[in-house]
Amino acid sequence: MPENLLEMRGIEIQFPGVKALDGVDFFLRAGEVHALLGENGAGKSTLIKCLTGVNHKDKGTIVFDGKEITPTSPQNAIEMGISTVFQEINLCPNLTVAENIFVGRREFKKKIINAKARELMKRFHLDIDVTRPLSNYSTAVQQMVSIARAVNIDSRILILDEPTSSLDENEVQLLFNVMRELKAEGMGIIFITHFLDQIYAISDRMTILRNGRLIGTYDIGEINKLQLVTLMVGKDMENIFDMHPADVAPDAPVMLDAEHLGAPGAVGDISLTMQKGELVGFAGLLGSGRTETAEMIFGANRPTSGKLSLKGKPVEVKKPFDAIMSGVAFCPEDRKRDGIVKDLSIRENIMLAVQAKRGFMHPLSRAEQNELADKYIKALSIATPDAEKKIGELSGGNQQKVILARWMATQPDLLILDEPTRGIDVGAKAEIQRLMLEMCGDGVSVIFISSELEEVIRCSNRIVIMRDGKKAGELNGPFDGDTQSRILQIIAEGGDAQ
Amino acid sequence: MKNKIHFVLLAAGAVLLAIGVFFFGRICAVKDSIYADYNLSFSDASFQQVFINDHDEATVKADFDAAILAAAQSGATTEDEAGIEAPAEEAPAEEAPAEVAEPAAEEALEAIAEASPYDTVIGSYSRVSSLRTAWKLQGILFGAGLLLCLAAVIVVLRSKHLDFAAIMRSKITWAVIAEILILIVGLFIRPDFFNISYQPASRMLYGNLIDIINRSAEITIIGMGMTLVIALGGTDLSVGALVAVSGAIALKLMRWDPTNPLYQTPGDYSVYPFILVLLVPLLVCLLMGAFNGVLVGQLKLQPIIATLILMVSGRGIAQITTNGKQFTTMYTPFRWIGQGSCLFLPTPIIIMALVVVSVMVFVRKTAFGTFVESVGINPSASRLSGINSKVIILIVFALTGFLSGISGLIYSSRIMSNDSNNAGLNYETDAILSVVIGGTSMTGGKFSLVGTIIGSIIIRTIVTFVYFFGVASEATMAFKAMVIAVVIVLQSEPVRNWMAKRSQARAMAKGGAVK
């Protein structure tokens, strides 16, 4: 039994009104990757913040390397050898890679830091020029650089908070290789992610939290995915991998008819017909034109060519408002940038699109707003004490539900969901999929865009595969086990065909 | 007893206010008696000079007689004008005011010559000292009464129904606290700082408190628009220049007579109808505001740059409008806007109240305010929700221009002239400052119109202080900056959080004790 590098015992943290952590124990060994799991609000980040000195514990002890410690600030934690890499990259894009790695250190000489940085990058198997500005490189490389920066401070513990959410498959593998190497050098790695597959691919052990309490610490072989999800959510999740769309009657009326939609530089020549109540999944890599197509239908980007008709009537969509008026709704991909209005309350966020539809001179009364908000908070089981809480204070999953409520309130005929399940925990994910399928059952047509093929295949009636801004193929359900490889094949081969 | 403390405070405050009103009545009675005996008005300043300054009996007597004599002599001429200005309403009290005025004044002069008016009106020195006490007590009582009532409000807020920590975290709370602190300082320096008196001639209440609100009208009115502009994440630098434009157009319409190009008229009438004198400047300012709105909304210029155009050119436009001339007018209806009285208060206060209420109703009773906040916080999400931000931006800037126009009318009516160089000078900074003190963040988003009113009153309080306590005029700006610096420090996030934490800790400790 290897000795524990870090022992956190009986950690309690009290926030106004809630106990964020209630007697949590967490042990990390040297040379292991330890996954920290739980839904949003389970206390993962609070535990990390306690360890890095952002939040201060009310009770409990932290023993690091045999000595009791009380980190007072992130800087203090770093000095002790605990470094963190966050989901958002906290680097300066206009400094060079080398400068980014060494900023804040005692080393200033360009030659030395460039040499050291090169050496470090070699260790990470990254072949990049360390003297160029960071902004020249992809998100994945930037992520690697921030890890390199963290590792370079002689740290014993590395905390990775959702490091893979903006990386593609190859980049994830690259990161995993680095993690394995660091592990072999005896570093303790705490790994936080929403991707269950990645946990099983890299972790040695996992600790599960729920509602600020410790559920347990398990070896990776001890429990399977379904057990893990059940432990995280706290209720039976047998349905989650078993949700499928209802069949669409062949004579159902046509809802959307797009002919040869195109905009230069984004997408070209997209034709798509959708029936009432149909769920069409969009598959394809990031940047393949999925989002751009959705934005053209919604009027966020104006198509330069092609025709669009909704419910059999030709429409001209110049701006989102026009699309909304003809019954289209759109949940954008980047929730933070394009979805939530963070300082407004849940109520205001929900009523925004309905109100825009009515115009500001015909306001919903406060009573109507409250009714609307309460209805959807209940229907979507949004976790909040009341409708007046700011949306920015909610977890990602609940924010997504509020945005969904905003559009459900407009009673759309066509709902476009762009990555609605990204970055949210597994319980909320299942609920959003359920809502999506329910709406289809009620006769709403849904376009579902997602990078996770599994959910696209499971939820869709039909799948459109995008590649390089063009429609590369279309598959009709019902789908079987081979569908995934078919899709991947189309994505890969689409280039050969041209 | 502890739960009833706010009743006690409220009752005490009310009693003090009531006694203050009683003294106010006493002072008015003495003034009225002088007025009735001589049919003359005594200006507030000379009244204060004679009675309130600590003189002995002989000085008071001499001063009083001299002042009455002076008032009687000047009254003989001014009453004529008063006859035009204040018609029918006073007629029932005095049988035929215009004709009687002059003989009455002459009678008064004779009376003064015969006997010392001091003996007939005042009678004894003890009456003077009681008047003096009344004068001093009135301010203290008003001030203390107001503060006690405020204390009662704070106690009510602290009770468990409301989240006191959240209130302490609010910037408006700190703005109010700052204002109260300034007023308390005023009370200690000059007990009569809070005095309010009634001037029968102009049918208006006078006093520092009234004056502060009266003089804050221009900035408050502009501040309503500026709040919305800042909530959108922008600033409007052109408001001060628009004030000058509005005044220039109004004065030109009153004085510019094509048939009389030398302007050698007495100026007590208006060339164009009064309604045009009011509407044309407002319309022009509205259009200029809309111009800003088009630059910002349609052409996506940064608001600071876009409004800089009119900030610089606006004063030039004002100069061109009047051919570089400075017109003056004596047109009475125009005087009423800035110097008249309405409901016993200076007219600007009433105009300000109307503007504030209309803007608040427009912003909060429609969804306009929510849309402004939404566009200010996240323009992209707002667009994707179907909000037409261009229209919102256009309306907000046009409204701000329109409100600057109203301010311009008030300002030029106060000086009965146009002044392209100095009208509305530095109004943009004062308005922005009011908004910021009022708790609206410069980054846009959530805004508070009430906060802006408080902010503008704070700024005006400081200026009134400077005048009232005779701070050297060179030091005015430095003094203002100092006080505003203190206010902004009080409002800074660390200070507010610290106070909120303290009160929260106390509340928790209290809660623990109950358990």
Side-chain angles (χ1 to χ4, degrees), chain B residues 185-231:
Chain B
V185 171
L187 195 59
F188 276 104
I189 304 179
R190 283 280 293 270
D192 57 341
F193 186 73
F194 282 87
N195 270 39
I196 289 175
S197 58
Y198 180 66
Q199 192 84 68
S202 50
R203 270 172 285 129
M204 209 195 291
L205 289 166
Y206 274 98
N208 282 316
L209 291 182
I210 304 278
D211 192 58
I212 287 169
I213 300 172
N214 179 12
R215 295 274 170 175
S216 74
E218 285 103 315
I219 297 297
T220 306
I221 288 170
I222 294 175
M224 294 295 102
M226 191 65 90
T227 311
L228 298 178
V229 172
I230 288 179

Side-chain angles (χ1 to χ4, degrees), chain A residues 298 300 320-321 324 336-344 348 351-353 355-356 360-361 363 406-407, chain B residues 362 365-368 370-371 373-374 377-378 380-388 391-392 395 446 504:
Chain A
F298 188 63
F321 180 73
I324 293 168
K336 253 193 202 137
R337 199 188 64 202
D338 302 325
I340 63 166
V341 183
K342 67 176 184 343
D343 291 335
L344 293 188
E348 288 167 314
M351 66 89 152
L352 214 53
Q355 188 62 65
F360 63 80
M361 286 313 284
R406 177 191 292 169
W407 293 115
Chain B
F362 172 59
K365 290 293 160 192
T366 72
F368 192 74
T370 313
F371 281 12
E373 288 177 340
S374 180
I377 297 166
N378 191 340
S380 165
S382 308
R383 188 176 85 99
L384 291 177
S385 302
I387 297 173
N388 190 343
V391 171
I392 304 281
I395 294 176
K446 286 276 184 190
Q504 206 166 35

Side-chain angles (χ1 to χ4, degrees), chain B residues 304-386:
Chain B
I304 255 188
I305 307 298
T307 55
L308 200 62
I309 298 172
L310 274 181
M311 179 193 183
V312 176
S313 62
R315 292 187 188 279
I317 294 171
Q319 294 273 17
I320 295 167
T321 309
T322 59
N323 294 332
K325 284 195 171 59
Q326 186 163 2
F327 294 116
T328 54
T329 181
M330 285 159 68
Y331 185 45
T332 317
F334 189 68
R335 186 190 298 273
W336 179 81
I337 298 171
Q339 302 178 39
S341 84
C342 183
L343 303 173
F344 301 109
L345 288 169
T347 322
I349 294 184
I350 305 298
I351 298 175
M352 177 180 85
L354 284 175
V355 167
V356 165
V357 169
S358 341
V359 173
M360 277 181 178
V361 167
F362 172 59
V363 162
R364 294 297 183 199
K365 290 293 160 192
T366 72
F368 192 74
T370 313
F371 281 12
V372 167
E373 288 177 340
S374 180
V375 172
I377 297 166
N378 191 340
S380 165
S382 308
R383 188 176 85 99
L384 291 177
S385 302

Side-chain angles (χ1 to χ4, degrees), chain A residues 440-452:
Chain A
C440 280
D442 295 341
V444 178
S445 306
V446 175
I447 295 177
F448 176 43
I449 304 173
S450 172
S451 294
E452 287 183 49

Side-chain angles (χ1 to χ4, degrees), chain B residues 41-108:
Chain B
S41 67
F42 221 136
S43 85
D44 226 40
S46 59
F47 185 81
Q48 185 174 340
Q49 200 189 336
V50 172
F51 289 106
I52 311 309
N53 294 350
D54 284 322
H55 299 314
D56 55 30
E57 186 169 2
T59 324
V60 172
K61 192 173 170 181
D63 277 356
F64 181 77
D65 289 347
I68 280 288
L69 203 59
Q73 278 160 351
S74 69
T77 50
T78 52
E79 283 294 282
D80 288 340
E81 272 180 27
I84 308 161
E85 193 177 338
E89 282 157 319
E90 270 186 12
E94 302 166 42
E95 280 102 78
E99 290 93 299
V100 166
E102 210 164 326
E106 270 161 22
E107 254 170 52

Side-chain angles (χ1 to χ4, degrees), chain B residues 164-166 168-169 495-505:
Chain B
F164 192 70
M168 293 309 272
R169 228 175 254 136
V495 173
R496 277 183 296 135
N497 282 343
W498 180 69
M499 290 303 292
K501 235 181 226 167
R502 268 192 45 161
S503 58
Q504 206 166 35

Side-chain angles (χ1 to χ4, degrees), chain A residues 202-477:
Chain A
I202 187 85
S203 309
D204 301 303
R205 292 196 302 161
M206 53 182 140
T207 291
I208 302 171
L209 301 179
R210 192 200 311 148
N211 295 332
R213 287 168 194 278
L214 176 71
I215 299 303
T217 300
Y218 307 91
D219 282 333
I220 204 74
E222 220 174 312
I223 53 175
N224 65 23
K225 265 188 214 177
L226 190 59
Q227 285 170 313
L228 168 62
V229 170
T230 311
L231 284 172
M232 276 165 67
V233 180
K235 55 192 169 202
D236 252 347
M237 293 303 296
E238 64 207 275
N239 291 334
I240 182 184
F241 297 116
D242 201 27
M243 278 192 290
H244 294 291
D247 287 338
V248 180
D251 58 344
V254 171
M255 184 67 80
L256 168 83
D257 189 10
E259 279 174 50
H260 309 296
L261 283 185
V267 281
D269 198 21
I270 304 282
S271 295
L272 178 69
T273 313
M274 277 177 79
Q275 287 175 300
K276 190 172 156 72
E278 193 180 15
L279 198 153
V280 174
F282 271 40
L285 299 174
L286 267 176
S288 62
R290 303 174 314 188
T291 301
E292 290 78 1
T293 306
E295 283 177 347
M296 278 197 314
I297 295 171
F298 188 63
N301 275 334
R302 252 177 104 174
T304 48
S305 58
K307 271 185 281 182
L308 193 66
S309 63
L310 287 162
K311 286 182 280 184
K313 271 178 275 171
V315 286
E316 202 184 347
V317 187
K318 288 182 188 160
K319 50 182 187 293
F321 180 73
D322 301 334
I324 293 168
M325 291 309 277
S326 30
V328 186
F330 176 55
C331 276
E333 180 180 14
D334 191 331
R335 189 171 54 233
K336 253 193 202 137
R337 199 188 64 202
D338 302 325
I340 63 166
V341 183
K342 67 176 184 343
D343 291 335
L344 293 188
S345 65
I346 295 171
R347 166 179 60 80
E348 288 167 314
N349 265 288
I350 289 180
M351 66 89 152
L352 214 53
V354 180
Q355 188 62 65
K357 216 171 160 179
R358 292 166 64 117
F360 63 80
M361 286 313 284
H362 303 280
L364 291 162
S365 73
R366 187 60 189 257
E368 286 170 313
Q369 292 179 26
N370 287 339
E371 200 184 320
L372 203 67
D374 291 341
K375 179 178 151 197
Y376 284 104
I377 287 175
K378 217 170 145 196
L380 276 64
S381 49
I382 297 167
T384 174
D386 60 65
E388 296 309 311
K389 201 173 161 88
K390 283 183 189 171
I391 192 173
E393 294 166 0
L394 296 180
S395 69
N398 282 311
Q399 289 180 357
Q400 191 67 60
K401 285 187 202 168
V402 173
I403 305 299
L404 207 54
R406 177 191 292 169
W407 293 115
M408 285 167 76
T410 64
Q411 295 169 329
D413 299 314
L414 172 64
L415 176 63
I416 307 170
L417 299 168
D418 194 354
E419 296 276 10
T421 58
R422 179 192 281 180
I424 63 178
D425 65 65
V426 69
K429 208 176 227 176
E431 275 180 85
I432 284 183
Q433 289 175 8
R434 179 176 58 76
L435 283 165
M436 191 168 76
L437 293 172
E438 265 176 26
M439 288 181 78
C440 280
D442 295 341
V444 178
S445 306
V446 175
I447 295 177
F448 176 43
I449 304 173
S450 172
S451 294
E452 287 183 49
L453 276 183
E454 182 273 326
E455 60 176 8
V456 175
I457 293 169
R458 187 158 46 73
C459 298
S460 309
N461 295 109
R462 193 147 54 95
I463 299 174
V464 170
I465 301 135
M466 299 288 298
R467 188 183 191 288
D468 293 338
K470 294 205 170 59
K471 196 162 138 185
E474 200 173 309
L475 294 177
N476 282 310

